[in-house]
Amino acid sequence: MLRPSFLLVASLAIPTPALAQSTKPPPLTIEQQGSFFVGGRNVKSDTLSTLSTYSSSGTITVDQIYVRYQIPVDAKKTAVTLIHGCCLTGKTWETTPDGRMGWDEYLVRKGHPTYVIDQASRGRSAANPTLINSVRLGKTPPGETPPIFAAGHEAAWGIFRFGAEYPQVFPGMQFPLEAQAEFFKQMVPDWLATLPTPNPTVADLSELAIRLNGTILISHSQSGIFPFQTAVLNTKGIAGIVAIEPGACPAANGDLKPYIDMPTLVLFGDYVDLSPRWAPRLKMCRAFAEAVTKAGGKTELVVLPDLGIKGNSHMLMQDKNSLEIADWLLAWIDKHIEQKGQ
Amino acid sequence: MLRPSFLLVASLAIPTPALAQSTKPPPLTIEQQGSFFVGGRNVKSDTLSTLSTYSSSGTITVDQIYVRYQIPVDAKKTAVTLIHGCCLTGKTWETTPDGRMGWDEYLVRKGHPTYVIDQASRGRSAANPTLINSVRLGKTPPGETPPIFAAGHEAAWGIFRFGAEYPQVFPGMQFPLEAQAEFFKQMVPDWLATLPTPNPTVADLSELAIRLNGTILISHSQSGIFPFQTAVLNTKGIAGIVAIEPGACPAANGDLKPYIDMPTLVLFGDYVDLSPRWAPRLKMCRAFAEAVTKAGGKTELVVLPDLGIKGNSHMLMQDKNSLEIADWLLAWIDKHIEQKGQ
C-alpha cells in the first residue's frame, strides 16, 4: 500500500528520473518535531479589512517568525537554524525541485537538531496588510502603497546564476534546470522593503538562539547579513555563523568586535565573477573576512571552485551536488564549531 | 545534549505547564517525508516590482499549493490531506498553541500518510502582488486595490467561538486560551477575496487526490466547501470527505450526484447555536446531509456535544481534547472509508 502512494507522490515532485536512479534512504527516526513562533508584536488598526464579513478594527500580531523543527534521536550535534533568502520561504531547504532530499532532513540525519524559519512577513509568518487597505479606502495616497515585489523567472535566472541572463546556461551548471517550473513555484511576494532595518527577523533569531542555548545560524542570500546583525544585538546562543552567498557582509572598516570570537564561514558557489550582481558582494565579504582575520578572528571565506567543487548556482542547497556540499559544510562545522554532547 | 535543547524549545512553545504533565511520546519513524507543489499557472506582468533592484517585467507562477507530507513506516491506512481555513495556514494542524502534538503528527503515528497544504495565495503558496504595484504606480485606481483582509484578535475570538464576543469565554471552553498569543501569531493576511470561485486550490486538490490515488480530504472552516467542489470537478482519488466546521455545505436542492457514493462526515463543535455566524451554517449542512441521505447517500453530520464531547471551539484540532477528537475521527474513518492495505 505504501509503495504506490510513495511512487505516485514521487512522480509529482520529480519531473526527472534523478531519484529513480538513486538509492532510497532508510527510514528516519525523530525524537521530537513540531513548529512554533518566536517574537511578534501587536498592532492596532482600523484598516484590517474592507470586507463586510471581517471587522475593519482590531489587533493583529506581526513581526514573528514561524519555526519548524526536527530533533533526531540521540542528537549529538549542535542545533542549526536555516534562514532562507529573497522571494523564498523555508521551502528553500526542503525537498529539491527535482525531488531529492533537502538539507533540512539531511542535517537531521547527520545528528543536528534542525530549525527552519520563514522570515518575518514571508510565508507562514504574518505580513501586515493594513496600509494596502488604507490605500483601497482612499485614506492613504496610492504612491504610499507598500512596495511588495515579486522576482520574475527571467530576472531570477540571472540573480540565481543559472546563466548570465535568461535563458542562457553557464557551462557545467549543477542546478536541476529540468525542474525549473517546480523551483519557480517556491517564489513568493517579498515584503522586505516594507520592513525596518534591521529586519524584525534579526531580533527573533536572537531570541531563538538564546532559548536554544546554542545554534549555528545558516543564512542565504538576502538573509546573509541577518546572523551578523543578530551577533551585534547579542552573541549569546550563537554557536557559529554560516553565510551562504550573502547579499552583504558587515563593513570591513566597521566594528568587528561581535565577530572576532565567532566561528564564521562565508561560502560562495561558482560563476561569481561573471555576475555583476554577485562579484562586488564576494569582494565585500572577502574584505570583511580579511579584516576579521587580521584582527585575530575566525572568519573564513570559501569559494567552492577553489575546493574543486564546480558548477554551483546561487541555490547551491538545491543543486545536483547539494549533499556533497552539505557533507563538506558538516565537516567544516565539526572542525570549527564546538559540538554539544561531544 | 538533546535534553536541554528539547526542554528549552519546549519552553518556547509552551507557556503553560500542560506538556510538562503529559507523557513524552516515543520517537517517530518516518518512511519518507518532504514537500512539493501542485498546480500553478504562469502570469506575465509589467508590475512585478516598483524597486530598481528587481525588474518590473517578467513571469511569475501563482495558484499552486504547497504540500508537506510524512509517510509512516508500514503505512496501512489511506492518505489524509489536511486543508486549513480562513486567515490561517497549514500551521493549523501542527503543534498546538500550548505545545501539544498536532493532528499532522498524530495521524502519521496512527498509520496515515499525511499531507498538509497551504491554500493558494496563502503562506508558502505564492500570492500575486502585481495589482498592488499597479496601484502604487498610478496605473490602477486605488479603489481597485486587492481586498486583502486580516482578522483581528477581537473579531477572531467570536468567529472561532472562544466566547460570544471578545473577551468573554464560553463555560467549559476547551481551547487553550492561556496560549492565545501563540495562536494569534498563526494568523496571516487572507487573499481569498482576490481569487476566483472555485478557488484555484480546488483544482490543485483534485490533481493531488488523483496522483495520490486515494486520499481523504479533511477541510476546515473557510475551506469547508473545497472538498465538495473538488468532487464536482472529479470524484477520482477522493476516498472520503471530512468537513470540519465548514463555512458552507453544498445546497440541499442542488445536484447531489457527486456526493452520493462519497463517504462524508460533517463535524461541528460546541456552542454553535449560540453563534449568529455558525448556527445558519450548521443548519445548511444539516439540510445537505439529510438530502444526501434521502437520496441514498452516505453523508453524516455530527455535532460533538451529541456524542458527549463538550466545550469545543471552532479550532477543535487545537483544543485541549484535540487528540480525543482525533481518536473518534480515526474510528469513524476506519468504519466508513475503505483503508488501503487492509
Side-chain angles (χ1 to χ4, degrees):
Chain A
M1 200 325 61
L2 172 65
R3 202 57 50 167
S5 180
F6 158 63
L7 287 175
L8 282 155
V9 174
S11 75
L12 254 188
I14 307 161
T16 73
L19 195 64
Q21 297 164 2
S22 71
T23 311
K24 189 165 172 286
L28 169 66
T29 302
I30 302 289
E31 173 76 22
Q32 196 190 3
Q33 64 178 357
S35 63
F36 57 89
F37 293 90
V38 179
R41 69 185 167 92
N42 287 346
V43 173
K44 282 183 192 297
S45 171
D46 292 321
T47 57
L48 295 181
S49 166
T50 58
L51 305 174
S52 61
T53 38
Y54 288 90
S55 172
S56 59
S57 296
T59 310
I60 57 173
T61 308
V62 296
D63 290 355
Q64 66 273 22
I65 56 170
Y66 167 79
V67 185
R68 183 177 67 81
Y69 71 98
Q70 291 192 312
I71 300 173
V73 166
D74 296 329
K76 292 278 192 304
K77 304 285 187 176
T78 295
V80 297
T81 299
L82 300 172
I83 312 156
H84 64 82
C86 162
C87 322
L88 296 164
T89 70
K91 167 62 186 161
T92 293
W93 312 97
E94 299 177 356
T95 313
T96 66
D98 58 340
R100 290 170 293 112
M101 186 185 297
W103 279 17
D104 67 330
E105 179 173 335
Y106 195 68
L107 297 178
V108 172
R109 287 180 179 268
K110 294 297 180 176
H112 291 274
T114 300
Y115 296 74
V116 178
I117 76 154
D118 283 355
Q119 288 189 27
S121 293
R122 203 88 59 81
R124 292 178 170 182
S125 302
N128 182 346
T130 57
L131 194 55
I132 296 172
N133 285 322
S134 185
V135 171
R136 181 172 155 90
L137 294 167
K139 294 180 176 181
T140 295
E144 295 175 27
T145 306
I148 303 164
F149 64 95
H153 303 174
E154 300 84 352
W157 191 277
I159 295 170
F160 295 142
R161 296 204 316 281
F162 301 151
E165 61 180 84
Y166 181 84
Q168 298 170 16
V169 179
F170 285 130
M173 173 49 52
Q174 293 273 11
F175 189 83
L177 284 171
E178 67 279 13
Q180 62 181 274
E182 176 78 4
F183 172 67
F184 288 134
K185 294 178 188 179
Q186 297 185 7
M187 303 187 72
V188 298
D190 196 315
W191 297 60
L192 179 71
T194 72
L195 298 174
T197 301
N199 190 293
T201 305
V202 170
D204 297 343
L205 286 173
S206 182
E207 185 179 334
L208 178 65
I210 290 167
R211 295 210 187 182
L212 292 180
N213 199 26
T215 182
I216 304 163
L217 298 179
I218 303 185
S219 65
H220 179 235
S221 194
Q222 167 257 313
S223 75
I225 197 69
F226 289 2
F228 298 106
Q229 292 172 328
T230 307
V232 169
L233 277 187
N234 194 341
T235 55
K236 198 176 165 192
I238 310 178
I241 291 174
V242 176
I244 298 174
E245 299 231 339
C249 279
N253 61 359
D255 177 13
L256 301 176
K257 213 158 77 181
Y259 320 120
I260 296 295
D261 294 323
M262 181 69 67
T264 299
L265 171 68
V266 179
L267 185 67
F268 276 88
D270 205 345
Y271 319 106
V272 178
D273 287 336
L274 300 175
S275 165
R277 195 180 197 101
W278 290 104
R281 293 170 173 179
L282 172 55
K283 198 175 164 190
M284 180 193 200
C285 289
R286 219 186 270 284
F288 166 71
E290 283 167 5
V292 174
T293 304
K294 201 171 165 185
K298 303 173 176 178
T299 291
E300 188 173 349
L301 184 140
V302 171
V303 184
L304 285 174
D306 292 346
L307 303 176
I309 300 175
K310 293 184 180 172
N312 284 105
S313 76
H314 180 58
M315 298 302 299
L316 55 84
M317 75 293 286
Q318 300 184 354
D319 284 348
K320 289 175 184 170
N321 60 345
S322 57
L323 299 189
E324 181 192 346
I325 297 170
D327 284 337
W328 180 87
L329 176 59
L330 286 161
W332 188 93
I333 286 172
D334 268 352
K335 187 173 168 189
H336 293 89
I337 301 177
E338 194 183 350
Q339 294 304 297
K340 293 195 175 177
Q342 289 193 323
Chain B
M1 193 325 52
L2 172 65
R3 202 58 51 169
S5 180
F6 158 61
L7 287 176
L8 283 155
V9 175
S11 75
L12 256 189
I14 307 161
T16 74
L19 195 63
Q21 296 164 1
S22 71
T23 312
K24 189 164 171 288
L28 169 66
T29 302
I30 301 289
E31 173 77 22
Q32 196 190 4
Q33 64 179 357
S35 63
F36 56 90
F37 293 89
V38 178
R41 69 186 166 91
N42 287 346
V43 173
K44 283 184 192 297
S45 171
D46 293 321
T47 57
L48 294 181
S49 166
T50 58
L51 305 174
S52 60
T53 38
Y54 288 90
S55 172
S56 59
S57 296
T59 310
I60 57 174
T61 308
V62 296
D63 290 355
Q64 66 274 21
I65 57 170
Y66 167 79
V67 185
R68 183 177 68 79
Y69 72 96
Q70 291 191 313
I71 300 173
V73 166
D74 294 329
K76 292 278 191 304
K77 305 284 187 175
T78 295
V80 297
T81 299
L82 299 172
I83 312 156
H84 64 82
C86 161
C87 321
L88 296 165
T89 70
K91 167 62 186 161
T92 294
W93 312 97
E94 300 178 355
T95 313
T96 66
D98 57 340
R100 290 170 291 111
M101 186 184 297
W103 279 16
D104 67 330
E105 179 173 337
Y106 195 68
L107 297 178
V108 172
R109 286 180 179 269
K110 294 297 180 178
H112 291 274
T114 300
Y115 296 75
V116 179
I117 77 154
D118 283 354
Q119 287 188 29
S121 292
R122 202 88 60 80
R124 292 177 170 182
S125 302
N128 182 346
T130 56
L131 194 54
I132 295 171
N133 285 323
S134 185
V135 171
R136 180 172 157 89
L137 294 168
K139 295 181 177 179
T140 295
E144 294 175 27
T145 307
I148 302 165
F149 64 95
H153 304 175
E154 300 84 351
W157 191 277
I159 294 170
F160 294 142
R161 293 203 320 281
F162 301 151
E165 62 180 85
Y166 180 84
Q168 298 170 15
V169 179
F170 285 130
M173 172 50 52
Q174 293 273 12
F175 189 83
L177 285 172
E178 67 279 12
Q180 63 182 273
E182 176 79 3
F183 171 68
F184 288 134
K185 293 178 189 178
Q186 296 185 7
M187 303 185 72
V188 298
D190 196 316
W191 298 59
L192 179 71
T194 71
L195 299 174
T197 300
N199 190 293
T201 306
V202 170
D204 297 343
L205 286 172
S206 182
E207 185 179 333
L208 178 65
I210 290 166
R211 295 210 187 183
L212 292 180
N213 198 25
T215 182
I216 304 163
L217 298 178
I218 303 185
S219 65
H220 178 235
S221 194
Q222 167 256 314
S223 74
I225 196 71
F226 288 2
F228 298 106
Q229 291 173 329
T230 307
V232 170
L233 276 187
N234 194 343
T235 56
K236 198 176 165 192
I238 310 178
I241 292 174
V242 176
I244 298 174
E245 298 232 339
C249 279
N253 60 359
D255 177 13
L256 300 177
K257 213 160 75 181
Y259 319 121
I260 296 296
D261 294 323
M262 181 70 68
T264 299
L265 171 69
V266 180
L267 185 68
F268 277 88
D270 205 345
Y271 318 106
V272 177
D273 287 335
L274 301 174
S275 166
R277 195 180 197 99
W278 290 104
R281 293 170 173 179
L282 172 55
K283 197 175 164 190
M284 180 192 200
C285 288
R286 220 186 270 284
F288 166 71
E290 283 167 5
V292 174
T293 304
K294 200 171 166 185
K298 303 174 176 179
T299 291
E300 187 173 350
L301 184 140
V302 171
V303 184
L304 285 174
D306 292 345
L307 304 176
I309 301 175
K310 292 183 180 172
N312 283 105
S313 76
H314 180 58
M315 298 301 298
L316 54 85
M317 75 294 287
Q318 300 184 354
D319 284 348
K320 289 175 185 170
N321 59 345
S322 57
L323 299 189
E324 180 192 346
I325 297 170
D327 284 336
W328 180 87
L329 176 59
L330 286 161
W332 187 93
I333 286 172
D334 268 352
K335 187 173 168 189
H336 293 89
I337 300 176
E338 194 183 350
Q339 295 303 297
K340 292 196 176 177
Q342 290 193 321

